[in-house]
Amino acid sequence: MINTEFNNHLKKPAALNLLLQMIPIPMSILSAILTSKVVAYAVEGSVQAVLRYALLLLAVIILQRGLSLWLEISFSKMLSQALHKCKILLYKGFLSQPQHVLYASQTGNSLERFNDDFNTVTNKTISFYPSFCVGALQTLAYFIFLSIHNLQIGLILLAISVFQIIPPIIIKKYMQVNYDNCRDVEAELTDMVIEGFHGFETIQLFGLQKWWFDRFVKLHKKYSKVGSSSIYTINAQHVLNALTSNLLKYGTYGIVGLFVLKSFIPVELGIQIIALSGGLYSAVNLLFDLIPQFSVAQIATNRMNDWFSHKPSCLTPSTDTTETLSLSHVFFSYSDKSVIHDCCISFSPSKVYKLMGANGCGKSTLLKLLAGLLTCQSGEINIGNAMEDSDTSIDYLLYLPQDDYSFSLSPQEFFQMAIPEKIETALAFTKSFGLSDKQIEDTLLSDLSGGERKKVYLSFAFAVDPVYLLLDEPTNSLDQEGRIILTKLIQNRKNGAIIVSHSNEIDDAIDCTLTLHEGNITYESIK
């Protein structure tokens, strides 16, 4: 799992954090001893002894702060590098998933895992485990020190410190539920904000502002409700902790005072006990506070692992030696609407197919199934022997959707990064489509018109020259000359193509027509 790979990079900063948190343990014991000496000699009126031990106490404090500062700087540098490497691992892992997983990913849901879940999972290794170890060692060290001087006092303080377990046990369940609910609602809010950002022109043009804001307000109320629950839980924890802390502090004063009055322990030891009791209680409280934190971290770990545990694609390698692409009893539906119904069809790698049908009948869905962007509910899609890591190679199958992506790259830079070995071929195709050198070399894809951008992606596709070329409405945005050139390029290809189009201008390049109606496909050979 991905979080196991994180641990390989987080071990060193976690160890340094453990060392950083362990420094105060011996220092606090030494400070308690020196403080008791200062008080004892002050009572006796020994000025020189008071100054001597006070200066020694000051030196210990300065040494601790200086050493901690040096380690904190080293820890911060090491942690920053480790988190950067983990973030790269996360992005690589996400982008290495099968196409149907990436296609189905929701922006808000993905951002929650990239941010909150990532931080929680890495904190488990960097912070929670070192803190737990330090809490246990600190508790043990203080208990041993106190018990050496008076076992009865050590046992009493340890026993009453256990009362601090009550707040974490009460709030553990609520923190788990609130974390999960907050992540889900925040993901919905993010998706809605992005939807509004990309569609603000349409929203304003058709007067849909009230509709969008009403939806946003409704979702925000849901988030506020979940957030309020989290706030109540946190505040309740603070109140319970404060109440428990006060009971322990004043209870300790009373117990130590009673022991001193009864002459069971000397005043100097009583001062040491009071000075160390706060550290003992804090250490035990840290252990108990980590109980709900570990529970939340486990939820984040499960969410992260589930994110990378995906349903296998229905794409399977072909059992024969040919490069035939075929569908075998494939079913696909959106909710209750059946789009592809028991589809069985084979595509020859040397023929060009035109897929037709009414709007919304499932033509684009069929191409996405073939491309591996969608996974069928049942059946299999058999592909050639170009299978690689559960995805098809673009040399075997290349899909161009209706909408072309607007990267901040020039066409030449895009070709150089995507297909460096075929860049000259791609550039030749762009020039055949009539694009100028300035458009190819200096203009960003995002700044090209829709038709110009379409020509760039078509040039990319024909340069790759896959066994199967899947084109969804390739004539959209193209001018008349561009459509003529596209038809000639399809005719000159020796490999196969499956094209969704309402235009008749590419019919000269078509070998067969497929008509999709009510989930069923009818086949007709033209040549």
Side-chain angles (χ1 to χ4, degrees):
M1 293 300 181
I2 193 82
N3 57 295
T4 303
E5 298 181 43
F6 290 168
N7 291 337
N8 294 330
H9 295 290
L10 298 174
K11 286 178 181 178
K12 289 184 178 179
L16 189 57
N17 189 27
L18 176 62
L19 178 61
L20 180 62
Q21 294 187 55
M22 285 178 62
I23 291 175
I25 297 177
M27 294 296 187
S28 59
I29 293 176
L30 183 58
S31 296
I33 295 173
L34 293 175
T35 300
S36 67
K37 293 290 185 182
V38 170
V39 173
Y41 283 115
V43 172
E44 293 176 4
S46 178
V47 177
Q48 290 185 347
V50 168
L51 289 176
R52 183 169 63 251
Y53 280 104
L55 289 174
L56 189 57
L57 178 60
L58 181 62
V60 168
I61 295 173
I62 292 174
L63 176 64
Q64 177 187 344
R65 296 304 172 97
L67 185 58
S68 296
L69 180 61
W70 177 70
L71 287 176
E72 283 174 5
I73 294 173
S74 301
F75 170 69
S76 298
K77 291 180 179 179
M78 189 181 295
L79 177 61
S80 178
Q81 294 174 353
L83 289 176
H84 178 67
K85 291 177 180 178
C86 290
K87 206 75 170 184
I88 291 175
L89 275 175
L90 180 61
Y91 289 139
K92 283 184 176 179
F94 176 69
L95 294 174
S96 298
Q97 294 185 101
Q99 292 183 7
H100 69 280
V101 176
L102 293 174
Y103 183 76
S105 298
Q106 296 293 319
T107 304
N109 189 274
S110 299
L111 287 176
E112 287 301 312
R113 282 161 172 76
F114 278 129
N115 296 317
D116 291 277
D117 289 338
F118 174 80
N119 291 335
T120 304
V121 169
T122 51
N123 277 338
K124 181 173 65 172
T125 301
I126 298 168
S127 179
F128 297 169
Y129 285 134
S131 296
F132 184 84
C133 292
V134 168
L137 288 172
Q138 194 172 3
T139 301
L140 183 62
Y142 289 171
F143 173 71
I144 291 174
F145 178 82
L146 293 171
S147 298
I148 289 174
H149 292 85
N150 190 294
L151 179 60
Q152 192 175 5
I153 281 286
L155 291 173
I156 290 174
L157 295 186
L158 184 64
I160 63 176
S161 69
V162 176
F163 284 104
Q164 295 176 111
I165 197 174
I166 297 174
I169 288 179
I170 293 175
I171 68 161
K172 174 184 174 182
K173 176 182 177 181
Y174 298 101
M175 287 190 69
Q176 291 174 322
V177 174
N178 289 336
Y179 180 88
D180 223 5
N181 290 340
C182 280
R183 299 291 77 75
D184 291 339
V185 179
E186 285 180 3
E188 291 182 58
L189 276 170
T190 301
D191 285 333
M192 189 168 179
V193 170
I194 292 174
E195 174 191 282
F197 175 77
H198 287 297
F200 76 94
E201 291 180 346
T202 304
I203 291 172
Q204 189 176 43
L205 180 64
F206 292 99
L208 298 175
Q209 295 96 323
K210 185 178 183 304
W211 165 80
W212 189 87
F213 276 111
D214 286 345
R215 287 177 59 213
F216 185 79
V217 169
K218 183 178 180 181
L219 187 56
H220 200 272
K221 285 182 178 178
K222 179 181 177 182
Y223 180 61
S224 297
K225 183 177 180 181
V226 174
S228 297
S229 179
S230 298
I231 292 172
Y232 293 149
T233 301
I234 293 172
N235 287 339
Q237 181 185 15
H238 290 330
V239 170
L240 288 172
N241 283 340
L243 177 61
T244 305
S245 176
N246 286 328
L247 288 174
L248 292 177
K249 180 170 68 174
Y250 295 117
T252 302
Y253 292 165
I255 292 172
V256 172
L258 183 62
F259 271 65
V260 171
L261 288 175
K262 295 294 184 180
S263 300
F264 291 151
I265 58 174
V267 174
E268 183 179 341
L269 179 58
I271 295 171
Q272 294 180 18
I273 292 172
I274 291 175
L276 288 177
S277 63
L280 174 65
Y281 297 151
S282 295
V284 175
N285 186 52
L286 174 63
L287 293 176
F288 294 151
D289 277 346
L290 284 172
I291 294 174
Q293 297 295 335
F294 274 115
S295 298
V296 169
Q298 187 58 50
I299 292 174
T301 301
N302 293 339
R303 284 166 56 90
M304 191 77 77
N305 288 337
D306 290 342
W307 199 31
F308 289 95
S309 301
H310 49 77
K311 177 184 176 182
S313 170
C314 54
L315 297 177
T316 58
S318 180
T319 55
D320 56 37
T321 58
T322 67
E323 293 181 318
T324 300
L325 177 65
S326 65
L327 287 81
S328 176
H329 301 289
V330 169
F331 286 82
F332 185 84
S333 63
Y334 293 105
S335 298
D336 296 331
K337 181 184 178 182
S338 179
V339 180
I340 307 296
H341 181 73
D342 195 23
C343 181
C344 297
I345 189 170
S346 296
F347 299 97
S348 169
S350 61
K351 291 186 177 182
V352 178
Y353 301 84
K354 181 179 180 181
L355 182 57
M356 301 183 298
N359 289 334
C361 70
K363 302 184 297 297
S364 296
T365 297
L366 181 59
L367 289 191
K368 291 174 184 177
L369 285 167
L370 292 170
L373 298 179
L374 295 176
T375 300
C376 52
Q377 274 85 35
S378 64
E380 289 184 346
I381 298 175
N382 302 303
I383 65 174
N385 50 19
M387 194 75 167
E388 182 180 349
D389 296 333
S390 301
D391 282 331
T392 54
S393 166
I394 61 171
D395 292 323
Y396 175 75
L397 188 149
L398 177 61
Y399 165 68
L400 288 188
Q402 292 187 44
D403 300 320
D404 303 306
Y405 298 107
S406 300
F407 295 114
S408 296
L409 295 169
S410 68
Q412 182 166 313
E413 290 172 329
F414 169 61
F415 297 146
Q416 182 63 52
M417 294 182 66
I419 47 172
E421 71 285 354
K422 298 180 179 180
I423 183 172
E424 296 301 328
T425 305
L427 291 173
F429 280 122
T430 56
K431 291 180 179 179
S432 71
F433 271 114
L435 295 180
S436 66
D437 289 339
K438 180 175 179 58
Q439 290 172 319
I440 296 170
E441 298 172 6
D442 301 327
T443 309
L444 301 180
L445 285 168
S446 55
D447 293 333
L448 292 174
S449 68
E452 292 165 346
R453 194 157 51 243
K454 178 67 72 176
K455 291 175 181 180
V456 172
Y457 281 99
L458 287 171
S459 298
F460 168 82
F462 284 107
V464 173
D465 194 27
V467 176
Y468 288 96
L469 183 57
L470 309 184
L471 303 176
D472 196 349
E473 299 290 357
T475 59
N476 283 1
S477 303
L478 287 182
D479 52 28
Q480 185 62 33
E481 184 180 354
R483 296 181 182 187
I484 293 173
I485 295 171
L486 173 61
T487 302
K488 290 181 180 179
L489 290 176
I490 296 173
Q491 286 176 318
N492 294 335
R493 259 176 55 88
K494 295 180 180 180
N495 290 327
I498 305 170
I499 305 170
V500 172
S501 179
H502 289 93
S503 172
N504 296 325
E505 293 172 297
I506 62 170
D507 286 355
D508 291 340
I510 302 301
D511 297 309
C512 310
T513 61
L514 304 172
T515 303
L516 185 59
H517 178 67
E518 295 183 354
N520 298 304
I521 293 181
T522 56
Y523 171 93
E524 180 182 352
S525 178
I526 297 177
K527 299 178 182 179

